[in-house]
Amino acid sequence: MGPITLRTLLAALLSLAALPLAAAPITDVSNNYVYTTVDMPGAGSITAVNGLNDFGRFVGVYDDAAGNYHAFQGRIGAATLVKVDYPGAVQTFLISIANDGAMAGTWFDTGGAQHGFVLRNGRYTSIDIPQAAAKTKAKFELGVGLGSSVYGLNTLGDVVGQYADKRSVGHGFRLRSGIVETIDAPDAGTGPGFDLGGTNVVRISEDGTMAGYYQQLKPALRIGFGRHGFVLRGGRFEIVDAPQAVFTQVLGLSNDGCVTGVYATLASLTLGRGFVYCGGRYSRILHPDGFTSTSVASRNVSGVLSGEYAGADNRTHGFIAIPK
């Protein structure tokens, strides 16, 4: 996240003046779970479990020896992970799986442009938002080249994600019945790329509630400061900032309204901490083998978590965490 000067430190503290969803302390509940590490056989150095549905099915990504990403799906309790690649894609990311088994993600073509997709009943459907630039040079969540990326879906057919316009500004979106709704957080920055502005909608629940994060553009701040999570319910944005955080990124939203993600504090900028916000309370999650960071990407209604952690072996591992 870059070196900290006194000026950027003070500015980061001022950035926390955005009204949070709740001014609550955070409790460490890491020991309340039984953890299972998920590593795709043959993966290079990264495996991550990005999405989990209410029936124990999950999806994720891994890298190969050449550094390209591929997707996989699995089921809690099953030994086999199944590779998933969008036909003809150079890279494939799976981010979400709905309760009907439909999956959502993003694929890269040979020119480096990103496209969203949904995989439902064995059929791939590519998604390109009409307002999107075909390809941008700025860096976004999945890398350079954002045109349209899909992150979340529900069983009603709603799809959410992010697209970049011709100025390389990222906008969140919801696609419902063929109609695109652009979603911009009220104080999101308008600079190009991942670190200078934009809004990303990453999840949509069965009742239509959406969640994601945005970058608040403040020229005095270093990369990372000004990142806030949000929940969008009934047309109203609610800011999600983990207690004492200068960086909060919402990654998951369960069908019972619980939010998950990762945050960092000024006291430990290089240590990403997973969190769950549920029932008005924040809880911290640190994987017992997490050497530098833990990220909680998803939660289901049974309280099972999925995500990734950085191990002492300098590799990123996926995980499933089941409440004791």
Side-chain angles (χ1 to χ4, degrees):
M1 295 179 188
I4 301 300
T5 66
L6 178 60
R7 177 175 294 181
T8 58
L9 174 74
L10 293 173
L13 291 172
L14 288 173
S15 76
L16 297 182
L19 291 176
L21 189 60
I26 193 162
T27 302
D28 192 286
V29 296
S30 304
N31 292 330
N32 295 352
Y33 295 86
V34 176
Y35 297 86
T36 300
T37 292
V38 178
D39 284 322
M40 184 70 176
S45 61
I46 296 173
T47 301
V49 182
N50 295 324
L52 173 70
N53 73 11
D54 293 334
F55 300 103
R57 293 184 62 189
F58 57 85
V59 296
V61 298
Y62 71 97
D63 67 339
D64 61 22
N68 291 320
Y69 284 89
H70 308 271
F72 66 84
Q73 61 171 309
R75 186 185 298 272
I76 294 176
T80 303
L81 300 176
V82 178
K83 182 179 179 180
V84 178
D85 274 330
Y86 187 92
V90 176
Q91 302 194 80
T92 303
F93 298 80
L94 273 177
I95 310 299
S96 294
I97 180 168
N99 282 343
D100 60 0
M103 306 173 202
T106 299
W107 66 281
F108 279 63
D109 64 26
T110 55
Q114 297 179 30
H115 313 267
F117 76 91
V118 170
L119 174 57
R120 189 184 300 274
N121 297 325
R123 180 184 177 186
Y124 290 89
T125 302
S126 189
I127 296 174
D128 288 303
I129 301 305
Q131 299 94 317
K135 183 182 176 182
T136 60
K137 295 181 180 179
K139 184 177 180 181
F140 287 88
E141 177 70 25
L142 302 181
V144 175
L146 176 65
S148 302
S149 286
V150 167
Y151 289 91
L153 81 171
N154 60 22
T155 62
L156 302 176
D158 299 329
V159 173
V160 295
Q162 185 183 44
Y163 72 89
D165 64 23
K166 294 180 180 179
R167 297 180 298 128
S168 295
V169 178
H171 305 274
F173 74 85
R174 180 183 67 183
L175 177 62
R176 170 177 286 180
S177 301
I179 299 173
V180 177
E181 177 189 0
T182 295
I183 296 170
D184 290 315
D187 59 344
T190 57
F194 181 79
D195 295 310
L196 294 177
T199 302
N200 195 349
V201 183
V202 297
R203 304 287 181 183
I204 184 166
S205 64
E206 290 298 300
D207 67 1
T209 301
M210 291 175 275
Y213 57 89
Y214 69 96
Q215 181 66 31
Q216 186 179 26
L217 181 58
K218 290 182 178 294
L221 302 186
R222 301 291 295 182
I223 290 173
F225 296 127
R227 182 72 51 81
H228 305 278
F230 69 83
V231 172
L232 178 56
R233 182 183 293 110
R236 179 174 179 264
F237 280 89
E238 302 169 85
I239 304 301
V240 178
D241 280 327
Q244 300 182 346
V246 294
F247 174 106
T248 300
Q249 190 158 316
V250 166
L251 301 173
L253 173 68
S254 63
N255 285 321
D256 57 353
C258 296
V259 174
T260 62
V262 61
Y263 74 99
T265 66
L266 285 173
S268 189
L269 284 172
T270 60
L271 176 63
R273 306 159 186 254
F275 75 89
V276 177
Y277 179 79
C278 197
R281 297 182 179 180
Y282 284 94
S283 299
R284 180 171 56 242
I285 306 290
L286 295 175
H287 191 284
D289 297 326
F291 184 64
T292 58
S293 65
T294 301
S295 177
V296 181
S298 188
R299 177 191 182 276
N300 68 17
V301 295
S302 298
V304 180
L305 309 177
S306 75
E308 63 185 83
Y309 69 92
D313 57 0
N314 203 31
R315 295 168 61 91
T316 298
H317 305 270
F319 73 86
I320 298 290
I322 300 175
K324 293 181 179 177

